[in-house]
Amino acid sequence: MKDAEGYDVLRLIEHNRGCYVSADYVEGTPLIRCLKYHPALSKEQLFLWIHEMARQLECIHKCRGNPCYRYVNPYSMIITKDKELYFLDVSAKANENILSVMQRRNVREHFLPPEEAYYQTESVLLDIYGLGKTIQYLLSESKPTPAFTKLEEVRFQNIISRSLNRHLKRAYTNVSELRKQIPIYHMPKKQITRTSVLFLAALFITAAAGITLYINDGPERLEEVRSEEGKAGEKELSDIDEKDTAGEGRTAAKEELENTSLMKKELGFLYFLEKKDYEKSGKYFRDDTSDRASQGLAGMTEYMRLEDISGKEDEICTLLEELERNVPDMMQESYYRCMIEGYRLLDREEAYDAVLRLGEKCMDGADENIRQELTGYMAFAYEKTGELGKAIESYTEMLSWESTGSFREEVYKKLVHLRQENGEPEQAASICRQGVEELEDSAELRLLHIRMQCADDEVEREICAQTIGKYIEEMPEIIEEQEFQKLTKEYGITMEGEKIWVGR
């Protein structure tokens, strides 16, 4: 390999569910330099590198203490002369030169998000971002043979998008999720045709007969038999070949049709569920004439594109019911998830029941992001069908994995409302206080807590006044809120300097 040098690298050893790291020394070239001089790669090699960098990064995260790598970029990955990929040992003194290169501004700007100016913060999400950027760079700088299929391009675009856009709801939260989405390259297989098999069989029989004749009658008789059998065999093989060629053509055409159908389905699902591009999704489903379910989803995409479905609710419901009857055994989860999106357009009890029924079917085997998405849909459906206990359970689960402040605020408000509706005022007050303590900038939760206390005759007015004073001290601008002005009129709240009174 051109300009191969020696590097201290990480050798990662997986054991059960954990991983151990040790040091190693290899001769090789950083990935970025390797691509510069050798952009032409086999597609198999390209896929192997992408799988390997994801596998090793996941392994690093599984090491004791759950460390992050931090410097995930094409400079930190070493390619040996045997084309094996290793992560650089960034703690090794011998690698200080390349580490200083990675800390240059032009490198940081390419492989760190805009809000992270330097390689100072360690987090799984930043490692995932670096991996997504590295995959993006690898795909843009390499020239793989054979070229990517359309489906492979779309899948990698989706992986890169979910890696780089960390604030998306479907963004990756761990490398394991990303690894599951990486396509696997399958080497084209050479098919042994039926003609070939028959020819080999005939050849074997002739050879066996020839050995017997040679032993019994000598080489002269063998030549005569070969001549006679050869003429007959040529005609027989010719006849077989004509029949078999037609059969093979039909088989190949059938396989090609099935592969094309599968590709159209996967692209249809991708644009429907991930990209929310219902026009493109509908096109792929319409082009897939292999089963009625795809045509049903093509029809569903037309409704998904409408801003107002008034007067079309019955049509949508009929279409979805027909679609469910025709869902094939293959890729059921994707069909069901599309149908859930369709039922979410409808505000009727049977639609909420369908979301719950299909959601339960999708939960088994779904990855973490899909489970979270389904949990949110089902929480709302439980609420609408009056199953308040299950709704509370689902919304509480959502708090365990969602970190966005605005989202958490909405979930806290929802839980307060549901606890109150379910006849649990103490739990409602408790969850509201929890939200206020966690979300220091939430005026809405503070106002909600004030209302709850003022509306409860069992709460002393002095306690209400203390709560109001505390919240005004924490957030003075709260008194300008329209809701606060409304509360002062409803409950006779008066203020003189720091003194506050609440009427009955």
Side-chain angles (χ1 to χ4, degrees):
M1 179 174 291
K2 184 174 180 177
D3 298 328
E5 298 177 6
Y7 296 94
D8 289 333
V9 297
L10 302 179
R11 184 170 290 279
L12 299 154
I13 304 164
E14 294 182 85
H15 180 68
N16 295 330
R17 295 186 179 181
C19 187
Y20 302 92
V21 60
S22 63
D24 202 352
Y25 177 86
V26 299
E27 289 190 355
T29 304
L31 176 61
I32 194 162
R33 196 190 306 161
C34 184
L35 288 175
K36 180 179 179 180
Y37 294 108
H38 307 283
L41 296 169
S42 69
K43 187 159 70 170
E44 180 184 18
Q45 183 63 66
L46 188 65
F47 275 46
L48 284 173
W49 280 348
I50 294 174
H51 278 280
E52 188 61 14
M53 62 179 67
R55 184 195 71 80
Q56 291 193 35
L57 185 59
E58 182 184 11
C59 193
I60 290 170
H61 291 168
K62 288 180 180 179
C63 289
R64 182 175 296 178
N66 304 116
C68 296
Y69 186 73
R70 189 189 297 183
Y71 297 95
V72 182
N73 59 58
Y75 290 88
S76 66
M77 299 175 193
I78 305 301
I79 306 299
T80 69
K81 62 180 180 179
D82 296 325
K83 295 188 177 179
E84 293 182 342
L85 183 144
Y86 291 91
F87 272 79
L88 197 74
D89 183 354
V90 293
S91 66
K93 189 174 180 64
N95 293 330
E96 285 181 349
N97 288 341
I98 193 167
L99 187 62
S100 65
V101 172
M102 288 190 278
Q103 292 170 337
R104 291 175 184 169
R105 181 178 177 181
N106 62 329
V107 177
R108 289 187 278 106
E109 288 179 347
H110 275 90
F111 300 103
L112 279 175
E115 63 272 20
E116 297 285 342
Y118 300 94
Y119 279 111
Q120 293 177 327
T121 307
E122 290 188 17
S123 76
V124 171
L125 295 185
L126 280 177
D127 278 1
I128 291 173
Y129 183 94
L131 181 60
K133 273 289 187 180
T134 302
I135 293 173
Q136 185 181 51
Y137 182 84
L138 179 57
L139 298 183
S140 66
E141 295 299 314
S142 62
K143 298 176 182 178
T145 304
F148 279 12
T149 65
K150 181 65 176 176
L151 180 57
E152 288 167 344
E153 288 179 0
V154 173
R155 283 182 172 177
F156 276 118
Q157 287 172 6
N158 185 49
I159 288 171
I160 292 167
S161 175
R162 290 177 63 182
S163 301
L164 305 189
N165 299 307
R166 297 183 296 158
H167 304 298
L168 289 179
K169 188 173 182 180
R170 294 271 293 153
Y172 295 121
T173 57
N174 57 66
V175 182
S176 176
E177 296 171 1
L178 186 152
R179 280 188 69 191
K180 293 176 183 176
Q181 303 295 321
I182 301 173
I184 297 174
Y185 178 64
H186 296 284
M187 289 286 290
K189 295 181 179 179
K190 292 184 178 180
Q191 296 184 344
I192 299 177
T193 64
R194 183 167 172 264
T195 303
S196 302
V197 172
L198 288 172
F199 178 78
L200 291 171
L203 186 63
F204 174 78
I205 293 169
T206 302
I211 292 170
T212 304
L213 285 167
Y214 188 87
I215 293 171
N216 294 334
D217 301 322
E220 294 81 6
R221 177 57 181 151
L222 175 58
E223 288 302 320
E224 292 177 16
V225 171
R226 277 181 177 169
S227 177
E228 293 170 3
E229 288 186 347
K231 293 175 182 177
E234 285 175 11
K235 185 177 186 307
E236 183 179 352
L237 285 173
S238 177
D239 294 340
I240 291 172
D241 193 48
E242 288 181 9
K243 296 176 183 178
D244 210 37
T245 300
E248 288 167 11
R250 287 192 294 271
T251 302
K254 182 179 179 182
E255 289 179 356
E256 180 65 24
L257 184 63
E258 289 174 351
N259 291 335
T260 302
S261 171
L262 180 61
M263 185 189 74
K264 288 175 180 176
K265 283 186 176 69
E266 292 202 15
L267 286 169
F269 289 132
L270 181 65
Y271 280 107
F272 194 111
L273 297 168
E274 306 291 344
K275 304 291 186 181
K276 308 299 181 185
D277 187 335
Y278 302 112
E279 182 177 0
K280 285 186 178 180
S281 175
K283 177 183 181 300
Y284 284 114
F285 282 130
R286 275 191 298 275
D287 289 346
D288 177 25
T289 57
S290 63
D291 62 61
R292 297 174 65 183
S294 290
Q295 297 306 302
L297 284 179
M300 192 65 245
T301 60
E302 296 298 323
Y303 293 111
M304 298 297 294
R305 295 168 62 188
L306 298 177
E307 294 184 5
D308 184 5
I309 61 165
S310 300
K312 299 183 182 295
E313 292 89 347
D314 289 340
E315 297 175 18
I316 295 172
C317 216
T318 300
L319 173 61
L320 288 167
E321 289 170 357
E322 176 69 16
L323 178 56
E324 189 169 357
R325 286 192 290 269
N326 290 294
V327 169
D329 294 335
M330 185 176 65
M331 305 175 77
Q332 282 189 340
E333 179 193 305
S334 296
Y335 280 106
Y336 291 150
R337 287 176 60 208
C338 290
M339 292 169 61
I340 288 172
E341 296 288 353
Y343 277 117
R344 291 180 64 231
L345 298 175
L346 308 172
D347 184 16
R348 50 175 64 182
E349 187 173 352
E350 59 264 40
Y352 299 125
D353 289 337
V355 169
L356 295 173
R357 182 181 69 255
L358 297 175
E360 286 291 344
K361 290 182 178 181
C362 291
M363 278 293 190
D364 292 337
D367 67 30
E368 186 177 351
N369 279 323
I370 293 175
R371 288 182 65 85
Q372 291 175 2
E373 181 181 86
L374 293 171
T375 298
Y377 295 162
M378 295 173 71
F380 183 74
Y382 282 131
E383 181 184 353
K384 299 295 287 188
T385 56
E387 298 181 74
L388 300 184
K390 290 184 177 180
I392 290 169
E393 184 179 332
S394 296
Y395 281 118
T396 301
E397 182 183 347
M398 290 163 68
L399 283 178
S400 69
W401 42 256
E402 179 57 59
S403 60
T404 307
S406 58
F407 180 90
R408 293 182 70 81
E409 182 181 54
E410 292 302 315
V411 175
Y412 273 121
K413 286 160 54 181
K414 182 73 70 174
L415 283 169
V416 171
H417 168 73
L418 289 172
R419 291 287 189 183
Q420 287 179 314
E421 191 176 348
N422 205 38
E424 303 173 341
E426 293 182 2
Q427 290 88 338
S430 177
I431 195 70
C432 192
R433 285 194 301 271
Q434 179 183 328
V436 169
E437 291 172 4
E438 179 190 318
L439 304 173
E440 298 177 356
D441 59 348
S442 174
E444 288 192 57
L445 286 174
R446 285 171 171 77
L447 292 167
L448 180 58
H449 191 211
I450 292 171
R451 176 174 289 282
M452 291 171 67
Q453 285 195 338
C454 291
D456 190 346
D457 292 334
E458 295 184 4
V459 177
E460 295 292 335
R461 300 300 91 178
E462 185 178 348
I463 299 297
C464 296
Q466 290 175 0
T467 300
I468 295 170
K470 178 176 181 291
Y471 289 162
I472 291 176
E473 183 180 352
E474 293 174 350
M475 188 177 285
E477 62 271 24
I478 199 173
I479 61 176
E480 305 296 332
E481 294 284 340
Q482 185 176 355
E483 174 66 9
F484 186 84
Q485 301 298 324
K486 188 176 178 181
L487 286 169
T488 60
K489 294 177 181 178
E490 286 185 33
Y491 297 104
I493 300 171
T494 57
M495 295 181 290
E496 291 182 7
E498 295 182 358
K499 292 185 178 181
I500 301 172
W501 292 270
V502 179
R504 284 287 177 184

